[in-house]
């Protein structure tokens, strides 16, 4: 299953009983998303900088070629804008029988679309993808205020084993 190469545009369901809206698609990132506000959306998460189309294209190509990057977006097809995003990265391991570890990264939903469960939708989608791809676990770092949100989606603090540490450069 190579989600990043999939041409499929599918209409997700948050749950079997609660279908997504008609105007929403969840799909892999495309080059044309540069023009659909993808980077502006990431700017709601953290500093993005002035990324040119060339830089974006080169990074897109590198991610495709190296494999293991599943940048997933939600598009509002009425306005052709990217309104949600989350990335699954896959680390190759020797441990756990040469398994994979998934990391949930760069989760962001446009703040004007609050209350539509888009965060839940994109996180669940990407987490299922990690499972489908054979990851033995999926990890994330988040701000304190988001711990509850992720807990409702099946993520757990592992006592004694959940300390995120960073070295900033
Ligand atoms: C959050 C994000 C992480 C992102 C970081 C950016 C999730 C689950 N976590 O920790 O993926 O890269 O913020 O913040 O989305 P920074 O610019 O301070 O590194």
């Amino acid at each position: 299953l190579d989600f990043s190469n999939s041409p499929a545009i599918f209409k997700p369901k948050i749950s079997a009983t609660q279908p997504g809206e008609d105007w929403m698609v969840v799909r892999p990132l495309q080059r044309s998303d540069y023009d659909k506000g993808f980077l502006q959306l990431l700017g709601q998460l953290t500093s993005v900088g002035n990324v040119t189309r060339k830089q974006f294209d080169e990074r897109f190509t590198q991610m495709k070629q190296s494999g293991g990057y599943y940048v997933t977006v939600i598009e509002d097809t009425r306005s052709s804008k990217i309104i949600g995003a989350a990335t699954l990265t896959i680390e190759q391991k020797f441990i756990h029988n040469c398994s994979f570890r998934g990391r949930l990264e760069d989760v962001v939903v446009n703040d004007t679309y609050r209350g539509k469960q888009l965060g839940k939708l994109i996180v669940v989608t990407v987490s299922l993808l990690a499972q489908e791809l054979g990851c033995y676990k999926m990890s994330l770092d988040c701000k304190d205020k988001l711990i509850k949100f992720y807990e409702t989606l099946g993520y757990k603090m592992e006592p004694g084993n959940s300390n995120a540490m960073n070295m900033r450069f």
Side-chain angles (χ1 to χ4, degrees), residues 45-47 85-87 103-108 123 139-143 146 150 166 168:
L45 175 71
T46 189
S47 161
T87 296
R103 287 187 189 266
L104 179 63
E105 292 282 351
D106 302 338
V107 177
V108 57
V123 170
S139 308
L140 65 87
D141 296 333
C142 70
K143 298 196 166 75
L146 287 170
Y150 286 113
N166 300 307
R168 300 251 173 188

Side-chain angles (χ1 to χ4, degrees), residues 19-84:
E21 315 262 5
D22 291 355
W23 46 265
M24 208 165 65
V25 292
V26 178
R27 58 166 174 78
L29 182 72
Q30 298 168 354
R31 284 182 198 277
S32 53
D33 292 334
Y34 184 85
D35 297 310
K36 294 187 175 182
F38 173 65
L39 296 176
Q40 289 72 20
L41 177 68
L42 286 183
Q44 292 187 17
L45 175 71
T46 189
S47 161
V48 177
N50 296 315
V51 176
T52 64
R53 183 184 301 271
K54 184 165 177 285
Q55 284 177 307
F56 177 82
D57 261 353
E58 282 171 4
R59 179 48 45 92
F60 187 94
T61 302
Q62 286 163 346
M63 284 180 169
K64 280 243 163 183
Q65 282 172 353
S66 67
Y69 288 86
Y70 298 84
V71 185
T72 306
V73 299
I74 305 175
E75 179 179 353
D76 180 341
T77 54
R78 299 168 305 182
S79 58
S80 297
K81 287 283 179 229
I82 303 305
I83 58 172

Side-chain angles (χ1 to χ4, degrees), residues 3 6-13 24-28 72 121 125:
F3 197 76
S6 168
I9 292 182
F10 58 93
K11 292 186 165 63
K13 289 176 166 50
M24 208 165 65
V25 292
V26 178
R27 58 166 174 78
T72 306
L121 171 65
T125 301

